Amino acid sequence: MVFAVLNFSWSLAQETYTLSGNVIDELTGETVLGANILLPDLSIGAVTNEYGFYSITLPAGTHKLLISFLGYQTIEQEITIDKDTKLNFKMVEESSQLDAVIIEQNIEKTSIRKPEMSVAKLSSKTIKNIPAVLGEPDVIRSILLLPGVSNAGEGASGFNVRGGGADQNLILLDEAIIFNTSHLFGFFSVFNTDAIKDLKLYKGGIPARYGGRLSSVLDIYQREGNNKEFKMNGGIGLISSKLLLEGPIKKDRGSFLVAGRSSYAHLFLQAAGEENTASFYDLNTKLSYRLNENNSLYLSGYFGRDNFQLGDSFVNEYGNTVANLRWNHLFSDKLFSNLSLIYSDYYYGLNLAVRSFEWESHIINFNLKYDFKHYLSNNFKLDYGINNIYYHFKPGEIRPDSEDSGINPEEFTNQYANEFAAYIDAEHRLTDKLTVRYGLRWSHFTRLGQDEFRVYDNNNPVLFNEEFQIYEGAEPIRVDSFDRSESLADFNNFEPRVSLSYLLNDNTSVKASYNRMTQYLHLLSNTNSPTPLDVWTPSGPYIEPQLLDQYAIGFFKDFKDGDYTLETEVFYKDIQNRIDYIDGADLIANEEIEQVILNGEARAYGLEVLFRKNRGKFTGWLSYTLSKSEQRTPGRNANEPGINNGEWYNSLWDRPHDIAVNGTYELNDRWTFNGNFIYQTGIPTNLPIGQVQQLGLTVPIYGNRNESRLTDYHRLDLSATYTPRKNKDRRWQSEWVFGFYNIYNRMNAASFSFEENRATGQNEAIRTSIFGIVPAISYNFKF
């Protein structure tokens, strides 16, 4: 505290000025996110925001500046300040090899000081791609190598963070909400790594500007494109290819980027006479234009579709469409703003020829957000803003595909909601050792009127049958109709956030955080992994919003000037109003979903360890998570047993032990080798514990919910990247990537089924596995 007083007195004694501007890539003109601007003589610094902007207050005089970012050459420059100054810095990449995705660790000392914890970063500015199934780089599979992150098994869509469900992750692509992240039902993600500029995964200590989900925020920004010259890069793989085009609209002022991917394995299957096929394609676009020093416009979009077909009888199509128009405005050298207008549509379609009908559903939302970043001083910064999301849920529409189909057209009742939030967040450096980030978010959710709303006696859609000791749906006493302007239910929640960092020395700090989150949307799924057919529904009269309180404390240390880093955290999560499903609940195409769900609670706690080697020929990390994730739904009164007799049971995403190892070895400038090893406890499931014979039939007996587990999961992936020797005068650059996914052919269980062995008459467990060993080869190029 004495240091802070002296520093304050010194600031009063000297005139100070503001240095601000942008950090950009010299070759492409794109802004650099998260670059460090350091003044070692003054022990102060700044970090560029999501749009590459920085602001720092300096005393008059001559100072030494260091500008650094992983994958770029560090800039050392002396500047003389005698007035408010705008200065842009141009950074040069350390390597000209192809862009790919690698876990990115900020190895500067500021990472130890900042009150930021439970955050993982990914960057497309450095190499190499982590070995993945079928050789396609994949963001989702990359973050699964981090502590606290897992999924529901091989080929499963979505991901789970710190024992939370896949629906509890807020996934943003250029600020637009993505409801389904998977291609081919989880084998690939919808994110084209060539088009990605920056990615952050918040597992805890989540800033107040984010809300609407409980477990995590995956915040992804697309690249702006090269505003210097036209460039092209792409890749050709075994089942898919990709191509990216970028260039200036007006040199040094505006740029465009178009990136596309498409799979073509279905063409080979069709040529071989195979009737069942699966394919996907997606398109990323972005236009950027700097109007003047204080104003920039961005227009970005994403469009993706998956198609799955079983002969001529079944066709399934689903995908995301998003668009975002953004305006960056600099009010002053201390006040930065971003205004966004966002559209998002998640579509699911089904054509069932054997029943002669088509099914179609949508989740549409319009999002208006206005965010401000205020650099009041080097020791005090404010983020504040507002956000309004209007939701339109179209659960399903059935249309006959012929006049003689016998199917009547039907449309499930559309649902509408509005979510408004206002927030303020402060980062406050109290002393040279203690920095605190604290904020408050207020959210207001309104379930709007709809054409048909079922009303139940005593507002109770679920009844308990005491005679049979089972829960069952109640019959509505009437169906009401409400105008869109009317409110069916209103919810208000205050969501405080606080995190702090205390510096033990220049290389070591302890951090702690608390955050409350509210989630108003619910994914109705009682399977291990979400599927495109799962339905999202808003909170309302029968469904309360989920509430989370999360606590975390961590220890962070740099070794050998950042060559090695150690991060350890313990966390505890308490969740209220977590949906649970009565036994025998049917969720597919169920418009009366309130009749099969009850509100319960959940909890998760654990220890996470991450050890990294950041520099040298060999780099990589080791992560370990020890955790527990449980759920409980007690009876609503003394006469009801609740779910699982009201006792805690394993959630579907409980993984007590999770180990991941990743390593990269650069043999020389032509050969690089990569490897992953993963071990996880098997996921919980329900398996028979016995059987009885009734009327000549074998009836299985099940124990408590989710008390069984699949076998433990583990695999080893290896890849090698060969870069041909380059001719400096030639613009064409290329590389070959050879890989093996699951190299020792471990047949990990995706599920177990039981059937009778006709030879012995005994029941047998049949293991279903998705992948054995999968070889891959791809050719990547850049021009």
Side-chain angles (χ1 to χ4, degrees), residues 161-165 167-168 213-216 515-519 522 544-551 571-579 599-605 628-634 648 651 653:
V161 175
R162 289 184 169 177
D167 63 311
Q168 295 175 337
R213 300 292 189 277
L214 301 188
S215 284
S216 75
N515 58 267
R516 164 161 276 226
M517 309 285 285
T518 306
Q519 180 166 335
H522 310 264
E544 296 287 325
Q546 301 178 69
L547 302 175
L548 162 83
D549 292 289
Q550 179 174 204
Y551 311 84
F571 67 89
Y572 180 84
K573 298 167 63 172
D574 179 74
I575 300 173
Q576 303 173 45
N577 302 325
R578 181 62 175 166
I579 284 179
N599 280 334
E601 59 181 327
R603 67 185 181 190
Y605 46 90
K628 189 66 180 174
S629 176
E630 300 175 300
Q631 192 165 336
R632 179 175 68 172
T633 304
W648 289 101
S651 70
W653 33 87

Side-chain angles (χ1 to χ4, degrees), residues 253-410:
R253 295 290 294 272
S255 61
F256 73 90
L257 181 143
V258 179
R261 292 188 301 173
S262 180
S263 65
Y264 37 73
H266 61 289
L267 300 178
F268 300 116
L269 293 173
Q270 291 172 350
E274 176 62 52
E275 294 184 352
N276 303 334
T277 63
S279 62
F280 74 88
Y281 64 91
D282 55 32
L283 179 69
N284 297 75
T285 62
K286 194 162 188 177
L287 301 175
S288 309
Y289 197 83
R290 182 170 58 87
L291 301 174
N292 52 45
E293 282 189 348
N294 297 328
N295 295 279
S296 297
L297 290 176
Y298 303 89
L299 178 62
S300 59
Y302 169 85
F303 180 81
R305 281 292 184 269
D306 277 72
N307 186 279
F308 178 67
Q309 185 171 343
L310 294 177
D312 296 326
S313 61
F314 177 90
V315 179
N316 176 210
E317 187 175 74
Y318 66 93
N320 299 279
T321 301
V322 301
N324 184 6
L325 177 62
R326 282 176 289 168
W327 171 43
N328 283 177
H329 177 64
L330 195 62
F331 286 96
S332 70
D333 51 15
K334 290 181 177 292
L335 182 56
F336 179 93
S337 71
N338 177 68
L339 176 65
S340 299
L341 180 61
I342 307 165
Y343 169 81
S344 174
D345 178 14
Y346 171 61
Y347 162 81
Y348 178 83
L350 180 67
N351 187 316
L352 201 59
V354 294
R355 297 296 301 274
S356 299
F357 76 87
E358 298 176 349
W359 168 284
E360 182 178 300
S361 66
H362 291 263
I363 304 174
I364 301 170
N365 69 77
F366 299 91
N367 186 354
L368 176 66
K369 60 195 299 286
Y370 204 7
D371 300 302
F372 298 85
K373 185 176 287 289
H374 206 155
Y375 301 84
L376 294 173
S377 72
N378 292 331
N379 294 328
F380 193 76
K381 302 176 181 65
L382 279 180
D383 291 312
Y384 47 89
I386 58 173
N387 183 15
N388 192 84
I389 308 175
Y390 175 79
Y391 296 100
H392 179 190
F393 298 87
K394 301 178 68 174
E397 181 181 0
I398 297 175
R399 297 188 301 266
D401 59 9
S402 64
E403 294 183 358
D404 57 352
S405 67
I407 300 293
N408 295 322
E410 182 181 358

Side-chain angles (χ1 to χ4, degrees), residues 6 24 93 283 316 330 364-365 395 496 507 672 743:
L6 290 175
I24 61 176
E93 288 190 55
L283 179 69
N316 176 210
L330 195 62
I364 301 170
N365 69 77
N507 300 305
T672 302
I743 194 168

Side-chain angles (χ1 to χ4, degrees), residues 405-668:
S405 67
I407 300 293
N408 295 322
E410 182 181 358
E411 183 174 3
F412 288 174
T413 303
N414 290 349
Q415 300 171 335
Y416 306 87
N418 193 81
E419 182 177 352
F420 174 82
Y423 74 90
I424 186 168
D425 210 19
E427 184 174 326
H428 194 177
R429 186 178 179 184
L430 297 173
T431 71
D432 188 43
K433 292 182 178 295
L434 178 62
T435 304
V436 181
R437 183 165 196 159
Y438 48 90
L440 180 65
R441 182 183 182 89
W442 171 66
S443 58
H444 174 74
F445 188 86
T446 303
R447 176 72 177 271
L448 300 173
Q450 60 191 54
D451 295 338
E452 295 181 356
F453 180 78
R454 289 170 296 277
V455 179
Y456 299 89
D457 190 25
N458 297 322
N459 286 326
N460 185 13
V462 181
L463 301 178
F464 181 67
N465 188 319
E466 295 191 16
E467 180 181 358
F468 295 100
Q469 291 290 297
I470 60 172
Y471 287 96
E472 54 190 16
E475 287 295 325
I477 57 176
R478 69 177 187 273
V479 177
D480 291 340
S481 178
F482 295 89
D483 291 336
R484 203 77 65 246
S485 59
E486 296 184 76
S487 172
L488 297 178
D490 283 282
F491 303 95
N492 290 278
N493 283 284
F494 288 96
E495 306 172 32
R497 321 282 173 88
V498 61
S499 59
L500 60 89
S501 171
Y502 185 79
L503 199 66
L504 299 177
N505 55 49
D506 286 346
N507 300 305
T508 310
S509 67
V510 291
K511 301 183 183 184
S513 68
Y514 163 78
N515 58 267
R516 164 161 276 226
M517 309 285 285
T518 306
Q519 180 166 335
Y520 297 103
L521 305 186
H522 310 264
L523 178 65
L524 303 175
S525 175
N526 54 3
T527 61
N528 284 21
S529 173
T531 71
L533 193 56
D534 294 331
V535 175
W536 289 80
T537 191
S539 297
Y542 307 123
I543 304 177
E544 296 287 325
Q546 301 178 69
L547 302 175
L548 162 83
D549 292 289
Q550 179 174 204
Y551 311 84
I553 186 169
F555 175 82
F556 302 79
K557 187 171 182 61
D558 284 348
F559 301 91
K560 292 189 176 181
D561 198 29
D563 285 358
Y564 301 87
T565 54
L566 174 66
E567 305 171 19
T568 61
E569 294 187 35
V570 293
F571 67 89
Y572 180 84
K573 298 167 63 172
D574 179 74
I575 300 173
Q576 303 173 45
N577 302 325
R578 181 62 175 166
I579 284 179
D580 210 343
Y581 306 96
I582 66 175
D583 292 333
D586 184 8
L587 304 181
I588 297 178
N590 185 353
E591 193 172 14
E592 299 172 332
I593 202 69
E594 68 275 1
Q595 297 180 6
V596 296
I597 59 178
L598 296 172
N599 280 334
E601 59 181 327
R603 67 185 181 190
Y605 46 90
L607 165 69
E608 299 173 355
V609 179
L610 179 62
F611 180 75
R612 300 178 187 263
K613 185 178 186 299
N614 299 304
R615 295 171 178 158
K617 281 186 169 292
F618 177 78
T619 57
W621 65 90
L622 165 66
S623 75
Y624 173 67
T625 307
L626 173 66
S627 64
K628 189 66 180 174
S629 176
E630 300 175 300
Q631 192 165 336
R632 179 175 68 172
T633 304
R636 295 171 296 183
N637 54 56
N639 297 323
E640 294 185 13
I643 305 297
N644 199 55
N645 294 317
E647 299 176 354
W648 289 101
Y649 67 88
N650 297 325
S651 70
L652 291 171
W653 33 87
D654 177 53
R655 299 272 194 154
H657 299 281
D658 188 344
I659 301 172
V661 182
N662 172 267
T664 299
Y665 181 71
E666 296 183 16
L667 179 65
N668 50 45

Side-chain angles (χ1 to χ4, degrees), residues 24-44:
I24 61 176
D25 185 306
E26 184 176 47
L27 294 179
T28 67
E30 291 194 70
T31 56
V32 179
L33 285 61
N36 295 283
I37 298 90
L38 304 174
L39 290 94
D41 297 338
L42 301 178
S43 297
I44 58 176

Side-chain angles (χ1 to χ4, degrees), residues 528 652 682-691 699-711 749-754 764-768:
N528 284 21
L652 291 171
I683 60 176
T685 189
N686 293 292
L687 299 177
I689 59 174
Q691 62 184 34
V699 180
I701 300 174
Y702 291 88
N704 292 331
R705 187 174 288 197
N706 293 347
E707 70 173 359
S708 302
R709 288 187 184 273
L710 298 181
T711 53
S751 65
F752 281 101
S753 59
F754 294 84
E764 293 182 342
I766 307 299
R767 179 197 306 225
T768 300

